[in-house]
């Protein structure tokens, strides 16, 4: 096998970095996931509203067309 000389300082720093990642990453991921959930919920509501407005406009245009023209 290969032997790679690693200083004790480098090993200590690596362990500290891993410990930091274990402590910091899960809350950060949770915050990002929560932010995206809020964004997606808002975008979903806005998309549903836009779709309803579009359907109403199409329905109104179809009704005017079937009634024989523009009644305004």
């Amino acid at each position: 096998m290969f032997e790679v000389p690693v200083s004790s300082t480098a090993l200590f720093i690596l362990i500290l970095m891993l410990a930091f990642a274990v402590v910091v990453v899960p809350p950060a991921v949770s915050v990002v996931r929560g932010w995206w959930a809020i964004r997606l919920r808002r975008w979903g509501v806005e998309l549903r509203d836009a779709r309803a407005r579009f359907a109403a406009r199409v329905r109104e245009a179809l009704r005017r067309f079937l009634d024989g023209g523009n009644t305004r």
Side-chain angles (χ1 to χ4, degrees):
M1 294 301 271
F2 297 103
E3 278 192 38
V4 179
V6 178
S7 70
S8 60
T9 304
L11 191 57
F12 179 71
I13 290 173
L14 179 64
I15 292 170
L16 278 179
M17 288 173 59
L18 290 173
F20 182 76
V22 166
V23 170
V24 170
V25 170
V29 169
S30 176
V31 167
V32 170
R33 193 179 324 140
W35 181 84
W36 272 110
I38 292 168
R39 284 281 165 231
L40 290 174
R41 198 174 312 125
R42 286 182 185 168
W43 291 340
V45 169
E46 291 172 6
L47 183 61
R48 189 171 52 239
D49 291 346
R51 200 176 317 153
R53 286 191 305 270
F54 178 72
R57 290 179 81 180
V58 168
R59 194 168 36 249
E60 183 61 32
L62 185 60
R63 190 173 292 143
R64 277 197 317 262
F65 175 75
L66 292 175
D67 285 345
N70 195 353
T71 58
R72 288 187 197 183

